Amino acid sequence: MKNLLSILPIAATTAAWAAEKPTPASPAATVITGNVLEVKDVESYTYLRLKTKDGETWAAVAKTPVIKGAKVSIENVMVMNNFESWSLKQTFKTIAFGSLAGTGASAPKTGAAMSTAHPGNAKTVVDTAEIRATKAVGANAWTVAEINTKAVELKDKPVLVRGKIVNYNPGIMGKSWLHLRDGSGTAAGNTNDILVAAAVEAKLGGVVTVKGIVRTDNDFGSGYSYKVLIEEACIQM
């Protein structure tokens, strides 16, 4: 079975996390339908202001052409609070991330979305030879190697880790996916790299601090599995 860490291309100093970065909102509908009032395109995302039966809301999908006035449905919705878009220089009080439904078609399964975006093994696009990142500071701070080796102990717990984004792929399942390295661990032991899933934009090559939850032994299907992942991540440059 393929290891997602080798397939999924590879999301910033301490401030008030809750005030400046996104946090999950209360559970919402898995599908949002509405008419497009406004469209804002950035490098990786298309932001849509929608008029729905419950009022206006913002949504974000992987970048795609959308016409103002069109009626659209956003599937696989994840609602975030206080989401800061670096590209737009705008903070959304609430925003729904998801996938744009096609006419008469359901949203692709997770594994299918992964395989479409990553048809083959991807190489890092940032030189990793001289990476040396200072360890994050805090009660839950760990190095990349420590998170990998202590995954069972840290499962479902919050962690802080600081490193360099060596691979980055936005807009899959409403998230940005990145590989983080700090110079710790070894390639032979698969301990020098950690995968992060975040509903925020990031910059390839940036040194960031990530705050998220450790997940282990998940399988996206279609042969895409991973042993260690940081989810629900907030990112600071």
Side-chain angles (χ1 to χ4, degrees):
M1 179 173 286
K2 301 173 185 176
N3 189 320
L4 182 59
L5 288 175
S6 67
I7 296 173
L8 186 60
I10 314 267
T13 49
T14 304
W17 291 99
E20 296 187 6
K21 298 296 174 184
T23 55
S26 57
T30 57
V31 178
I32 293 177
T33 298
N35 293 98
V36 178
L37 300 178
E38 185 177 356
V39 179
K40 293 184 177 183
D41 285 320
V42 295
E43 181 179 357
S44 304
Y45 292 96
T46 294
Y47 291 86
L48 305 172
R49 183 165 61 91
L50 303 177
K51 182 178 181 180
T52 74
K53 62 182 179 62
D54 299 316
E56 291 188 12
T57 187
W58 279 96
V61 298
K63 189 173 182 179
T64 187
V66 179
I67 301 173
K68 184 177 178 180
K71 186 173 183 179
V72 300
S73 291
I74 311 297
E75 300 179 323
N76 305 316
V77 168
M78 177 176 63
V79 177
M80 304 297 290
N81 290 329
N82 302 318
F83 172 75
E84 179 185 357
S85 168
W86 297 344
S87 298
L88 293 177
K89 296 180 173 59
Q90 180 177 349
T91 298
F92 298 91
K93 185 176 181 180
T94 62
I95 188 168
F97 280 86
S99 54
L100 189 65
T103 303
S106 59
K109 298 296 183 181
T110 300
M114 292 278 183
S115 61
T116 298
H118 314 292
N121 289 346
K123 296 180 179 180
T124 55
V125 293
V126 169
D127 183 10
T128 61
E130 297 297 329
I131 292 177
R132 293 291 183 273
T134 304
K135 184 177 178 178
V137 178
N140 298 317
W142 303 90
T143 66
V144 168
E146 288 170 338
I147 294 173
N148 279 300
T149 57
K150 298 177 180 289
V152 174
E153 174 187 338
L154 295 174
K155 180 179 179 181
D156 299 328
K157 295 181 180 179
V159 294
L160 280 172
V161 61
R162 188 170 183 269
K164 186 173 186 176
I165 300 172
V166 298
N167 263 355
Y168 174 55
N169 192 18
I172 298 179
M173 300 179 294
K175 300 178 184 179
S176 294
W177 300 82
L178 58 115
H179 282 260
L180 202 67
R181 298 187 184 185
D182 60 4
S184 66
T186 65
N190 292 321
T191 58
N192 67 334
D193 189 293
I194 192 74
L195 179 65
V196 178
V200 293
E201 299 166 40
K203 294 181 180 180
L204 182 65
V207 176
V208 299
T209 299
V210 169
K211 179 183 182 181
I213 306 297
V214 174
R215 306 297 187 194
T216 62
D217 299 319
N218 274 340
D219 190 341
F220 282 121
S222 299
Y224 291 82
S225 64
Y226 59 88
K227 290 187 177 181
V228 187
L229 166 71
I230 297 177
E231 289 191 311
E232 302 172 32
C234 296
I235 297 163
Q236 292 187 334
M237 290 294 191

